[in-house]
Amino acid sequence: MTLTVASIEGRRLDHFIGGRRTAPHSGQYLQSFDPTTGAPWYEAADGDAADIDAAVRVAQAASMDPAWRRITQTDRGRLVRRLAELVAREADALALMEMRDNGKLLREMQAQLKAMPDAYHYFAGMADKLQGDTIPVNKLDMLNFTLREPIGVVGMITPWNSPLMLLTGTLAPCLAIGNTVVIKPSEHTSASTLALAELVKEAGFPDGVVNVVTGHGRTAGEALTRHPGVAKIVFTGSTATGRRIAANAAGNLVPCQMELGGKSPHVVFDDVDLDRAVNGVMAGVFAAGGQTCIAGSRCFVEAGIYDTFVERLVDRARRVRIGHPAQEDTELGPLALAAQLEKVETYVGYGVADGATIATGGRRPQDGELAAGWYYEPTVLVDAKNDMRFMRDEIFGPVVGVMPFRGEDELIRLANDTRYGLAAGIWTRDIDRAMRFARNVDAGTVWINTYRSAAFMSPSGGFKESGYGRRGGFEVMREFSRLKNVVVDYSGATQDPFVIRLR
Ligand code: NDP
């Protein structure tokens, strides 16, 4: 892999189209910043509609090229396995690159990268297991069956919070099926996706199967979602952008897979081991600085233990070690973007204005080196209510609103009182109660006595404004293949052309 943190520092990175580094049509580049210092550290090609058009055309050609179209599914699986091995070989370098771009803890990015090869292996194993059905129809001498085929060019728009991990859940199955892709990574985190494209080439995939166009969402991203050569759009990001992308795709009657925002309820009943529940709630909202779509940002605590729970949560939140993401003992790094920091500050301000109280946090750390970076203290707001702005909108930062509830009916009403439906968590020893919650809550994933436990074998995705479509598990193989029905008449009979055969 030629792209590493050391090799790209201070350099310009081009697109990756048709297996080659390709300079942007406009000649323009955009800066990528280090969140720990706020200083730029490399530049990435600033793609526009012409670059997207070039990439989509190359991907279309690759999807028709016998070098990709005419290889067996077993060989496709073999290529995906080879890619898994290369990702494993470069896991540390890729993790460091992502940390440098988005400021998340090095050990978290390492954990993601170390798990990633398994995801590629998992989907590689499915390459030769995607099969159609034989359909028994009410006709003699007829064979009626279905085929699963690649759909063509898939456009993928990825966010900055976990760039490669969020890409893998759809890229791996797309490659296993035989699709081709054009990826537009977030303008803030271009490097690791470009590095991955190099690994795809090294693995032996034909040129043009995976293409990367970097640049802004409003230009390159927008062009990708409007391009008539794209057969499906995958988007992970905010609900507002998702709505716009779905409208663009609808113009071409192109389906989308949308993984959007969340405002997930995280519930604590009074029968729990408090330390376990406090750690669970902490992990749910402060891990990754709250910059995850599944953050458990609305915490509902049974009234009888509310004060005790808040006391423990605040005590633990105050002891969180904020620091450079590469340091072993750091628990909370900076936010990824200056704009993200401003958003967090704005919403904490809304919380106070709307009547909530800051129990801890609510400010940037002032000491030493931290003052220069985009850091923010873990923040607990009590006296929260669902109609407050900070409880309604996704903040994507280390902020949790806590409120008491009395009884399961009130809990379900409060938990579902949101336009989102991505995830939910519950801590209780009563399995009947936990199951009732799981059945009644509007969430694509429900965690019982755990939180943020993700697996690429599980179908993940949202309800309501959190999106649609699923990634993970075998389901995704169906989402990224198209179903064709084939009907064969082997009777040998010559039919009257104007008789309709009902049997
Ligand atoms: P966006 O939804 O704006 O961006 C996500 C991706 O979409 C990026 O690659 C972005 O490119 C691209 N994009 C932006 N506008 C368009 C467009 N019109 N057409 C096509 N692509 C576009 O999220 P932000 O990065 O601005 O973050 C804002 C908020 O989104 C966060 O505060 C958080 O609430 C939410 N979010 C949710 C994520 C999740 O995992 N569900 C992930 C990231 C963000 P570019 O980076 O160049 O703008």
Side-chain angles (χ1 to χ4, degrees):
M1 196 171 76
T2 60
L3 298 185
T4 60
V5 164
S7 76
I8 66 180
E9 182 109 40
R11 267 190 48 202
R12 288 187 154 175
L13 307 185
D14 289 322
H15 304 308
F16 191 89
I17 300 175
R20 288 204 314 268
R21 293 181 189 172
T22 309
H25 170 256
S26 65
Q28 301 296 310
Y29 291 79
L30 53 84
Q31 290 183 316
S32 213
F33 297 88
D34 180 336
T36 63
T37 60
W41 73 287
Y42 69 91
E43 292 183 337
D46 192 357
D48 60 15
D51 298 317
I52 289 289
D53 186 53
V56 173
R57 283 173 192 276
V58 163
Q60 279 179 306
S63 71
M64 301 307 291
D65 185 343
W68 184 233
R69 196 181 173 89
R70 300 279 303 154
I71 68 169
T72 66
Q73 53 274 45
T74 307
D75 284 341
R76 268 204 316 271
R78 204 167 274 133
L79 283 173
V80 178
R81 256 184 216 105
R82 176 78 187 121
L83 179 58
E85 287 158 6
L86 296 179
V87 171
R89 188 190 74 192
E90 302 295 347
D92 285 334
L94 290 166
L96 196 60
M97 203 178 279
E98 297 213 319
M99 179 211 78
R100 198 65 201 279
D101 252 350
N102 68 11
K104 283 170 73 172
L105 299 189
L106 182 58
R107 59 174 193 279
E108 175 172 356
M109 300 330 282
Q110 283 169 335
Q112 287 187 5
L113 264 299
K114 294 254 150 69
M116 217 169 283
D118 286 347
Y120 282 102
H121 282 297
Y122 175 78
F123 287 109
M126 287 186 187
D128 54 8
K129 291 168 193 68
L130 185 65
Q131 60 187 41
D133 294 316
T134 306
I135 301 165
V137 286
N138 194 20
K139 290 181 175 136
L140 295 174
D141 303 329
M142 284 281 209
L143 179 62
N144 188 320
F145 61 96
T146 58
L147 295 172
R148 284 273 166 192
E149 301 181 332
I151 51 181
V153 181
V154 179
M156 299 183 174
I157 297 174
T158 52
W160 40 263
N161 52 341
S162 295
L164 289 186
M165 192 192 75
L166 291 170
L167 177 67
T168 300
T170 48
L171 178 63
C174 275
L175 294 177
I177 291 164
N179 294 308
T180 60
V181 301
V182 176
I183 307 162
K184 205 300 281 177
S186 165
E187 71 194 61
H188 309 291
T189 53
S190 309
S192 61
T193 308
L194 289 166
L196 183 81
E198 286 192 344
L199 298 182
V200 168
K201 187 174 172 79
E202 187 184 338
F205 286 86
D207 289 345
V209 169
V210 173
N211 307 278
V212 181
V213 174
T214 56
H216 291 97
R218 61 179 181 274
T219 48
E222 188 85 15
L224 184 58
T225 61
R226 287 179 186 275
H227 200 292
V230 172
K232 182 154 184 161
I233 302 282
V234 179
F235 174 69
T236 309
S238 64
T239 296
T241 306
R243 195 172 266 125
R244 187 180 169 87
I245 288 174
N248 288 346
N252 292 325
L253 289 177
V254 164
C256 298
Q257 190 198 67
M258 293 276 166
E259 162 114 1
L260 307 177
K263 199 75 198 174
S264 299
H266 204 163
V267 177
V268 182
F269 273 93
D270 68 1
D271 61 351
V272 290
D273 172 336
L274 268 189
D275 287 337
R276 205 170 160 217
V278 165
N279 281 353
V281 169
M282 294 278 300
V285 72
F286 297 139
Q291 299 170 108
T292 65
C293 48
I294 52 177
S297 48
R298 291 183 305 137
C299 181
F300 300 101
V301 182
E302 197 164 22
I305 57 160
Y306 182 78
D307 290 338
T308 317
F309 181 85
V310 167
E311 199 177 301
R312 297 255 196 125
L313 181 68
V314 166
D315 174 60
R316 182 65 188 88
R318 283 198 181 123
R319 289 186 284 115
V320 166
R321 286 187 297 273
I322 305 176
H324 193 283
Q327 271 165 14
E328 275 286 305
D329 61 348
T330 296
E331 293 175 330
L332 189 76
L335 292 156
L337 320 174
Q340 208 49 45
L341 177 60
E342 279 165 29
K343 183 175 180 187
V344 170
E345 288 184 315
T346 302
Y347 271 91
V348 171
Y350 287 160
V352 174
D354 291 347
T357 306
I358 298 175
T360 185
R363 54 179 208 134
R364 304 178 188 199
Q366 304 301 317
D367 37 309
E369 291 175 2
L370 298 186
W374 301 327
Y375 294 90
Y376 198 80
E377 291 183 356
T379 299
V380 178
L381 285 157
V382 292
D383 308 327
K385 299 216 165 39
N386 269 339
D387 59 0
M388 295 176 175
R389 286 167 287 181
F390 91 100
M391 291 287 274
R392 282 207 312 262
D393 298 340
E394 182 177 49
I395 301 177
F396 231 60
V399 180
V400 63
V402 194
M403 70 162 103
F405 71 90
R406 289 167 190 78
E408 286 180 45
D409 289 347
E410 185 184 44
L411 169 65
I412 288 296
R413 192 171 49 71
L414 291 171
N416 287 341
D417 179 19
T418 167
R419 59 181 193 277
Y420 296 110
L422 195 56
I426 179 168
W427 296 83
T428 178
R429 289 192 170 119
D430 182 339
I431 189 65
D432 299 356
R433 179 155 68 189
M435 286 306 300
R436 281 193 294 275
F437 177 78
R439 292 302 292 263
N440 290 322
V441 71
D442 289 335
T445 299
V446 182
W447 286 295
I448 299 173
N449 294 332
T450 181
Y451 203 88
R452 282 188 95 226
S453 167
F456 44 80
M457 303 85 170
S458 307
S460 69
F463 299 154
K464 294 157 75 176
E465 292 190 19
S466 291
Y468 48 84
R470 292 292 178 270
R471 59 185 65 184
F474 197 77
E475 193 56 34
V476 78
M477 298 293 281
R478 297 196 185 91
E479 290 206 19
F480 287 98
S481 57
R482 62 183 190 187
L483 187 63
K484 182 177 279 177
N485 185 206
V486 182
V487 183
V488 187
D489 180 337
Y490 58 90
S491 67
T494 305
Q495 306 292 340
D496 180 329
F498 300 108
V499 170
I500 297 169
R501 294 176 71 205
L502 293 177
R503 295 181 65 91

